Amino acid sequence: MSDENKHDQPNLPLHEKEEQPLKNQKDSRITNTESSPEKSKKKSSWKSGIIGGLVGGLVVAALGGGYLAATDDGINTNTSTGMVDKDTGEVVTTNVSVDVTSDVTEAVAKVEDAVVSVVNMQSQSSNGFGGAFETDESMQEEGSLETAGEGSGVIYKKDNDTAYVVTNNHVIDGSDAIEVILKDGTKVEAELIGTDIWTDLAVLSIPSEKVTTVATFGDSDALKVGEPSIAIGSPLGTNFASSVTQGIISAKNRSVETDITGDGVVDWEVTALQTDAAINPGNSGGALINIAGQVIGINSMKISSDTVEGMGFAIPSNDVVSIINQLETKGEVVRPVLGISLLDLTEISEQQQESVLKLPEEISSGIVVAEVQSGSAAEIGGLEQYDVIVKFNGVEVTDSISLRKEIYASELGKEIEIEFYRNGELQKTTVTMTAAETSL
């Protein structure tokens, strides 16, 4: 996912499409009491005069009708004209400071030092990420490298001399070098440990010498719709690093269509948290936290449209933890593959469906096997070119997205039953899922 790049329509990655705050409302109640007019008439005249004088004095003080006081520091406080220096007559500020502490400020304080800026350095000028979050300031040479894009990241682990940072794959995609900028402005060179294009996650390592804070992950499955959410990152690049926006969890388990390969065709659905916390270009890879200061998601996308406001998406923390543990140890996520290239049946003309595939008229969805890879699970299982897969492991297959999800959810070494049409006849076969370099 990118910053106006791979996840453009309808959803853009954070740096190109991207992340708004929460509003705390206090319940105010006003209680009115009334005094009895009859009792007032029984008061003595002298009491009334004293009380009236006191009330009158209080009204004058409260309304400030010309009330003036000189403070110890030589400042005249006039509720009608404001704070003025008694010698110069100039307006000045009050020396009264307000120490505001809230659940939000405490949550931010716990994790803000663990949120960093991630800079994608490339050997030549590039419009990486569609140029969505590039600025004139960011396009500066550093040796033979230039800044191609900027995003955010979260330090989540410190192990002796090494600290680990999670960010989005689209933030570091195509980089020749990666630079991480800590909250205090310290710049360190990062090493890419591993990436996963399907979940749009990447893990980096940096020296831990200057790392003071490590974020903790919360349970994204336990989130409630409507609870506060806070986004921290570098919108529009490092000039606005450590920006904080507040909102709520708008929805859980949203299926967001994305274009992983950048060909303009939707080929994956990301399961994401939806938030109205402001997410902007450059927030990609940054933290979405709960009111306890725990990371509950990695900000990744937003709806980019003039008619849409407050629809940002984050990869749930439970998914993040599963992926980064694999990236740390293996450098990649090993998934089962079938070993085919494919087309959605809806991409095939009705004439070809009838003449080439010989499908029954009632079959309107499925996956057409365009090619079978040699030695793959599909070839061993007997699948052939032009077979139309309609069920995988008992689940109906409607398009390439649904098939990918079922394949990636299966276990390596497990036997899976596949139902398919060949020359108009429904057939079944069993394949054993294996790992390979192919996408399916």
Side-chain angles (χ1 to χ4, degrees):
M1 313 154 125
S2 115
D3 306 271
E4 286 195 342
N5 140 41
K6 306 182 175 173
H7 307 297
D8 266 8
Q9 298 300 332
N11 305 299
L12 300 174
L14 292 190
H15 52 260
E16 312 195 280
K17 340 168 171 193
E18 283 167 83
E19 316 161 39
Q20 288 262 290
L22 307 178
K23 297 181 180 178
N24 293 326
Q25 296 181 338
K26 295 184 179 179
D27 185 15
S28 299
R29 294 183 175 85
I30 300 177
T31 302
N32 294 318
T33 57
E34 298 179 355
S35 59
S36 169
E38 296 300 323
K39 293 182 179 180
S40 299
K41 293 179 180 179
K42 297 180 180 179
K43 302 290 183 179
S44 65
S45 60
W46 68 270
K47 286 184 177 180
S48 298
I50 294 176
I51 293 175
L54 290 174
V55 172
L58 290 174
V59 170
V60 171
L63 297 181
Y67 177 71
L68 187 66
T71 61
D72 291 338
D73 55 2
I75 302 298
N76 289 331
T77 304
N78 189 315
T79 56
S80 296
T81 60
M83 298 287 293
V84 295
D85 186 292
K86 67 178 182 179
D87 295 325
T88 65
E90 294 180 346
V91 176
V92 296
T93 60
T94 176
N95 60 2
V96 177
S97 62
V98 180
D99 182 12
V100 177
T101 300
S102 68
D103 290 342
V104 174
T105 60
E106 291 178 352
V108 171
K110 290 178 182 178
V111 72
E112 62 179 342
D113 287 348
V115 180
V116 299
S117 296
V118 178
V119 184
N120 181 321
M121 308 294 293
Q122 297 184 11
S123 58
Q124 58 184 12
S125 180
S126 168
N127 289 326
F129 313 95
F133 51 69
E134 295 178 350
T135 61
D136 292 338
E137 291 79 10
S138 71
M139 296 300 294
Q140 298 175 348
E141 292 188 4
E142 184 168 310
S144 61
L145 300 176
E146 292 182 347
T147 298
E150 296 174 335
S152 306
V154 181
I155 302 172
Y156 66 89
K157 180 179 177 180
K158 188 175 180 180
D159 184 11
N160 296 322
D161 296 332
T162 303
Y164 294 87
V165 178
V166 59
T167 186
N168 284 144
N169 174 71
H170 73 254
V171 170
I172 52 82
D173 187 33
S175 62
D176 295 308
I178 303 170
E179 186 176 74
V180 166
I181 305 178
L182 305 181
K183 172 82 164 36
D184 65 0
T186 301
K187 296 181 179 180
V188 294
E189 184 177 347
E191 178 184 350
L192 179 60
I193 300 299
T195 66
D196 182 50
I197 188 174
W198 297 104
T199 55
D200 194 26
L201 291 172
V203 170
L204 314 173
S205 67
I206 60 174
S208 64
E209 180 182 0
K210 297 293 183 69
V211 173
T212 59
T213 304
V214 174
T216 59
F217 290 101
D219 183 358
S220 56
D221 288 342
L223 293 174
K224 295 180 180 179
V225 173
E227 74 170 83
S229 61
I230 304 163
I232 308 177
S234 304
L236 304 183
T238 55
N239 285 345
F240 298 96
S242 302
S243 291
V244 177
T245 56
Q246 185 182 4
I248 61 172
I249 297 296
S250 304
K252 298 168 57 178
N253 300 317
R254 286 295 199 210
S255 292
V256 185
E257 294 183 340
T258 58
D259 173 18
I260 296 294
T261 58
D263 59 1
V265 178
V266 173
D267 44 29
W268 188 242
E269 284 184 353
V270 174
T271 300
L273 298 172
Q274 180 184 334
T275 180
D276 67 346
I279 295 177
N280 295 289
N283 276 116
S284 288
L288 186 69
I289 67 174
N290 60 17
I291 206 67
Q294 300 170 324
V295 177
I296 53 173
I298 296 299
N299 298 317
S300 185
M301 299 176 293
K302 69 173 289 185
I303 301 292
S304 180
S305 170
D306 292 338
T307 60
V308 177
E309 183 177 343
M311 291 187 69
F313 300 93
I315 305 165
S317 56
N318 288 14
D319 294 345
V320 172
V321 169
S322 173
I323 297 300
I324 62 177
N325 283 332
Q326 296 180 66
L327 293 179
E328 265 190 55
T329 57
K330 302 175 183 176
E332 62 179 348
V333 177
V334 179
R335 294 184 174 91
V337 294
L338 192 55
I340 62 172
S341 57
L342 49 76
L343 291 170
D344 287 357
L345 182 60
T346 54
E347 299 179 57
I348 309 300
S349 68
E350 291 186 10
Q351 181 182 5
Q352 290 179 317
Q353 289 184 32
E354 181 179 350
S355 62
V356 178
L357 303 178
K358 298 180 173 57
L359 282 177
E361 292 183 2
E362 65 271 16
I363 303 303
S364 59
S365 62
I367 288 298
V368 181
V369 178
E371 182 181 354
V372 179
Q373 297 174 0
S374 177
S376 66
E379 183 184 57
I380 296 172
L383 289 177
E384 298 178 1
Q385 186 181 46
Y386 300 147
D387 286 345
V388 180
I389 300 174
V390 293
K391 278 191 177 182
F392 183 91
N393 198 28
V395 178
E396 184 178 357
V397 172
T398 58
D399 52 27
S400 59
I401 294 176
S402 62
L403 179 58
R404 281 192 179 96
K405 283 186 172 293
E406 292 305 318
I407 290 174
Y408 293 160
S410 60
E411 299 177 13
L412 288 171
K414 182 179 179 180
E415 290 189 347
I416 300 294
E417 183 179 79
I418 296 177
E419 294 186 24
F420 61 96
Y421 280 91
R422 178 181 295 168
N423 294 323
E425 294 184 4
L426 182 62
Q427 301 184 34
K428 296 181 181 181
T429 187
T430 299
V431 300
T432 301
M433 303 308 296
T434 58
E437 299 297 324
T438 58
S439 60
L440 286 182

